[in-house]
């Protein structure tokens, strides 16, 4: 028996679809347009467009209450599913401000969890809508995760080009999967088995992407203390593996006992021990690991157990792994720097971080947006005069198609250079050794054919990303291509 009118069914259906879809997808934007044009004609829509729809949602729910329809369990079939999510959205909209305030207070508290007195009212409201207490508690945790994920993915990744939008979409799916209902029902407590591989050139922002994921993990709520059990500032552990000496990396990863080796004067807690339950461990430069360490990490990923150096007692690892590399995955595996079995335990998801040149090519405003954000971070406040000065200096000092070999990290230092000296002329090493696009420079240098081929192959490698692709493009043997690129990169 249908309990909703046709108009109510359309509204709740469209609204529910909007709530459930990934907020960074084209589908969300289309639904945004559909819902707002139908119900908010002539009204401006702010950042949280659902808040502008809240009065209409409240009015529709009030109409149901007049007919004594107050819980989703009173409905059947499609109507029940629609009202199930509509009531969740109702509570979410009612408590966006308290959730934002909690996140702000938690950011200020680096070590401990802060209280959230609105937790019990949220649970009570959900129970009044037909949810049992256990699910209401789980939904409170989901809403908190939703809000953190949206804020940290949206603000942690600067830019508006298509590549950044796709990256945000991928990160959201990586947290909640492509089906948030299924995630809520059964997967939230099993996400540690879904490892992630971030791939991108140096300086593109792999760490920022991992940081957004690490701050957005699921955290349980303790009703006795009225606090979430973990501070999200401590759910993210990060390490650049290239900084560790080969003979110490096992100790850094797994820890060691006192006296385990010369110099081990006290017990050391490794990265896997530091990572909280449901936390996230980010291992950057994974391609630098030896085969031996890769085998040991593979065992940890498979069995969720590890043994500190000098100990015989197994410890458990309950977190999630995010790995990153700035080399092409194809080349890492082709050159046997990354074991296939290790890769297949890390590749539940492979996310590519776009280069700065790709972002600039996609959107004319991308460079301006990035400069404005970086100036604000560097100077501590927004300063339009410095932004204009930097943009002018970059336009005057760099060629129109400048390659940005250091990506966003280079841009940040370029801004500092402009602030200090008033100009930035680019990375001179890359100008001198890698810019095959400047034919007059080659003529002036009287390069022989072999030197020209080296630079040409290196330039193609920067653009195409793998030795295989360069070999195909140039009709050269792959081993020759690799040799040319390595020699060109080393300045030989």
């Amino acid at each position: 028996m249908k309990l909703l009118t046709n108009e109510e069914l359309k509204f709740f259906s469209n609204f529910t679809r909007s709530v459930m879809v990934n907020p960074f997808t084209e589908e969300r934007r289309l639904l945004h347009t559909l819902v707002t044009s139908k119900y908010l004609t002539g009204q401006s829509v702010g950042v949280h467009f659902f808040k502008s729809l809240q009065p209409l949602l409240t009015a529709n729910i009030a109409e149901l209450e007049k007919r004594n329809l107050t819980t989703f369990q009173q409905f059947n079939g499609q109507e029940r599913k629609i009202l199930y999510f509509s009531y969740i959205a109702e509570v979410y909209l009612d408590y966006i401000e308290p959730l934002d305030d909690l996140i702000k207070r938690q950011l200020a508290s680096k070590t401990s969890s802060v209280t959230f007195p609105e937790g019990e009212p949220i649970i009570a409201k959900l129970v009044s809508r037909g949810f049992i207490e256990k699910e209401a508690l789980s939904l409170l945790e989901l809403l908190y995760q939703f809000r953190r994920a949206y804020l940290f993915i949206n603000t942690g990744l600067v830019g508006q080009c298509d590549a950044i939008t796709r990256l945000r979409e991928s990160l959201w799916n990586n947290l909640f999967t492509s089906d948030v209902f299924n995630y809520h029902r059964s997967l939230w407590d099993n996400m540690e088995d879904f490892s992630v591989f971030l791939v991108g050139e140096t300086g593109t922002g792999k760490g920022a992407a991992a940081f957004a994921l690490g701050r957005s993990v699921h955290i349980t709520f303790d009703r006795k203390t009225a606090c979430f059990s973990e501070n999200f500032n401590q759910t993210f552990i990060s390490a650049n593996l290239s900084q560790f000496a080969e003979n110490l990396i096992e100790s850094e990863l797994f820890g060691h006992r006192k006296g385990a080796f010369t110099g081990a004067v006290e017990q050391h807690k490794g990265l896997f021990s530091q990572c909280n339950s449901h936390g996230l461990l980010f291992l950057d430069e994974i391609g630098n690991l030896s085969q031996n360490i890769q085998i040991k990490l593979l065992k940890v990923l498979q069995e969720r157990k590890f043994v500190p150096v000098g100990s015989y007692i197994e410890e458990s690892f309950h977190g999630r792994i995010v790995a990153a590399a700035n080399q092409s995955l194809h080349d890492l595996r082709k050159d046997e720097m990354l074991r296939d079995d290790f890769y297949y335990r890390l590749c539940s998801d492979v996310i590519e971080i776009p280069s700065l040149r790709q972002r600039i090519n996609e959107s004319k405003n991308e460079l301006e947006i990035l400069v404005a954000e970086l100036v604000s971070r560097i100077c501590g406040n927004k300063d339009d005069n410095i932004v204009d000065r930097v943009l002018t200096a970059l336009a005057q000092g760099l060629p129109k198609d400048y390659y940005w070999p250091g990506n966003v990290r280079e841009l940040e230092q370029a801004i500092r250079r402009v602030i200090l000296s008033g100009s930035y002329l680019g990375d001179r090493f890359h100008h001198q050794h890698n810019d095959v696009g400047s034919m007059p420079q080659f003529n002036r240098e009287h390069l022989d054919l072999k030197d020209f081929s080296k630079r040409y192959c290196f330039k193609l490698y920067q653009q195409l990303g793998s030795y295989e692709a360069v070999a195909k493009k140039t009709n050269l043997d792959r081993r020759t291509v690799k040799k040319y690129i390595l020699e060109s990169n080393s300045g030989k």
Side-chain angles (χ1 to χ4, degrees):
M1 177 181 175
K2 293 181 62 176
L3 298 177
L4 298 176
T5 67
N6 289 336
E7 193 61 31
E8 288 171 339
L9 183 62
K10 287 179 182 178
F11 170 75
F12 283 119
S13 179
N14 287 331
F15 189 85
T16 298
R17 287 169 60 207
S18 298
V19 170
M20 297 308 300
V21 74
N22 184 319
F24 303 110
T25 59
E26 179 63 24
E27 183 182 1
R28 159 59 76 83
R29 290 189 287 275
L30 292 174
L31 285 167
H32 179 141
T33 302
L34 171 67
V35 177
T36 54
S37 63
K38 184 172 181 59
Y39 300 106
L40 294 174
T41 304
Q43 296 186 36
S44 61
V45 180
V47 175
H48 309 302
F49 92 94
F50 288 123
K51 286 296 287 183
S52 58
L53 281 173
Q54 187 176 21
L56 190 57
L57 176 64
T58 302
N60 275 269
I61 290 177
E63 286 299 317
L64 298 183
E65 290 174 336
K66 290 178 182 178
R67 307 199 300 265
N68 292 320
L69 299 172
T70 59
T71 71
F72 75 91
Q73 292 177 338
Q74 293 172 273
F75 299 85
N76 294 301
Q78 181 190 16
E79 290 185 344
R80 173 179 285 203
K81 187 173 183 179
I82 289 171
L83 267 297
Y84 175 93
F85 290 113
S86 294
Y87 286 135
I88 294 174
E90 175 196 28
V91 175
Y92 181 61
L93 293 176
D94 284 344
Y95 288 92
I96 277 184
E97 287 82 3
L99 286 169
D100 285 353
D101 178 67
L102 169 63
I103 293 169
K104 192 177 298 182
R105 290 187 292 118
Q106 194 65 86
L107 282 169
S109 175
K110 299 298 183 183
T111 57
S112 59
S113 235
V114 298
T115 59
F116 185 55
E118 291 85 356
E120 286 302 327
I122 288 177
I123 293 172
K125 180 69 173 179
L126 287 166
V127 169
S128 74
R129 291 306 188 191
F131 298 93
I132 62 173
E133 281 207 16
K134 183 178 179 180
E135 185 172 17
L137 174 61
S138 178
L139 284 169
L140 165 63
E141 296 164 356
L142 178 67
L143 296 182
Y144 181 46
Q145 186 182 10
F146 253 53
R147 195 62 190 152
R148 281 181 289 123
Y150 180 79
L151 292 176
F152 292 136
I153 292 174
N154 196 45
T155 61
L157 305 175
V158 181
Q160 297 178 0
C161 68
D162 290 343
I164 289 297
T165 300
R166 291 192 297 270
L167 175 57
R168 290 189 179 107
E169 176 185 347
S170 296
L171 294 177
W172 183 272
N173 283 341
N174 196 269
L175 289 166
F176 301 106
T177 79
S178 57
D179 184 345
V180 69
F181 180 73
N182 189 46
Y183 169 81
H184 165 61
R185 285 295 196 190
S186 59
L187 282 175
W188 67 268
D189 200 27
N190 297 285
M191 293 302 290
E192 64 270 14
D193 290 327
F194 292 81
S195 300
V196 191
F197 215 128
L198 303 178
V199 183
E201 297 175 11
T202 183
T204 49
K206 297 183 291 294
F211 193 44
L213 290 175
R215 283 183 157 189
S216 305
V217 298
H218 182 274
I219 302 175
T220 57
F221 184 73
D222 185 344
R223 299 181 73 175
K224 292 181 180 178
T225 62
C227 291
F228 284 91
S229 58
E230 301 284 352
N231 181 330
F232 59 69
N233 290 308
Q234 298 180 307
T235 58
F236 177 71
I237 303 294
S238 173
N240 188 316
L241 299 177
S242 63
Q243 71 183 341
F244 301 127
E246 177 66 26
N247 62 330
L248 293 178
I249 196 165
E250 188 173 352
S251 169
E252 295 296 336
L253 290 172
F254 309 124
H256 65 250
R257 294 291 176 260
K258 182 178 179 180
F261 51 85
T262 302
V265 295
E266 58 184 23
Q267 183 171 312
H268 173 65
K269 195 174 183 181
L271 295 172
F272 280 87
S273 296
Q274 295 174 37
C275 189
N276 297 326
S277 179
H278 300 304
L280 187 145
L281 177 57
F282 176 48
L283 301 178
D284 200 3
E285 304 289 2
I286 199 81
N288 290 341
L289 289 177
S290 68
Q291 298 278 321
N292 179 51
I293 297 298
Q294 287 186 36
I295 291 172
K296 292 187 176 183
L297 279 176
L298 176 63
K299 181 178 173 66
V300 176
L301 290 171
Q302 289 174 335
E303 301 176 7
R304 292 277 149 185
K305 301 285 185 181
F306 66 94
V307 179
V309 178
S311 174
Y312 297 98
I313 302 174
E314 281 191 334
E315 296 185 17
S316 297
F317 173 61
H318 300 288
R320 191 178 183 192
I321 294 289
V322 173
N326 57 27
Q327 305 104 309
S328 157
L329 280 179
H330 178 276
D331 289 337
L332 281 174
R333 298 174 67 192
K334 188 80 173 179
D335 297 337
E336 299 182 351
M337 296 173 66
L338 189 69
R339 293 173 56 95
D340 278 348
D341 52 1
F342 185 44
Y343 166 74
Y344 286 124
R345 288 299 289 179
L346 287 171
C347 68
S348 299
D349 196 8
V350 176
I351 299 176
E352 294 189 9
I353 312 298
S355 66
L356 178 56
R357 60 189 170 277
Q358 177 186 347
R359 297 169 62 176
I360 293 173
N361 287 337
E362 285 187 355
S363 173
K364 295 179 181 179
N365 299 324
E366 193 75 1
L367 184 61
E368 183 177 342
I369 292 169
L370 279 166
V371 168
E373 175 62 26
L374 291 172
V375 165
S376 180
R377 293 180 186 178
I378 291 169
C379 300
N381 59 277
K382 184 179 179 181
D383 193 317
D384 291 337
N385 290 328
I386 294 180
V387 170
D388 292 340
R389 181 184 170 196
V390 169
L391 290 171
T392 299
L394 295 180
Q396 292 174 347
L398 299 175
K400 187 176 181 180
D401 59 348
Y402 182 62
Y403 195 73
W404 289 107
N407 291 288
V408 178
R409 187 179 295 131
E410 180 188 356
L411 176 59
E412 185 174 358
Q413 295 305 327
I415 293 170
R416 290 190 170 93
R417 185 86 59 85
V418 172
I419 292 173
L420 291 173
S421 66
S423 66
Y424 182 68
L425 303 179
D427 185 333
R428 292 187 177 184
F429 176 84
H430 280 270
H431 276 327
Q432 294 172 359
H433 295 277
N434 305 324
D435 190 2
V436 301
S438 180
M439 295 300 293
Q441 179 185 348
F442 278 13
N443 290 335
R444 289 194 299 271
E445 291 182 39
H446 302 292
L447 296 175
D448 62 25
L449 181 59
K450 185 176 181 181
D451 286 336
F452 182 92
S453 298
K454 288 180 183 179
R455 299 193 189 183
Y456 183 60
C457 286
F458 189 90
K459 183 74 171 180
L460 287 175
Y461 179 77
Q462 289 180 311
Q463 295 173 345
L464 302 175
S466 72
Y467 300 139
E468 195 83 19
V470 175
K472 184 176 180 181
K473 184 81 172 177
T474 59
N475 290 321
L476 292 172
D477 180 80
R478 183 185 179 282
R479 289 170 295 181
T480 301
V481 165
K482 181 180 177 182
K483 179 183 176 183
Y484 281 175
I485 291 169
L486 293 177
E487 287 180 356
S488 180
N489 191 35
S490 65
K492 292 181 181 180

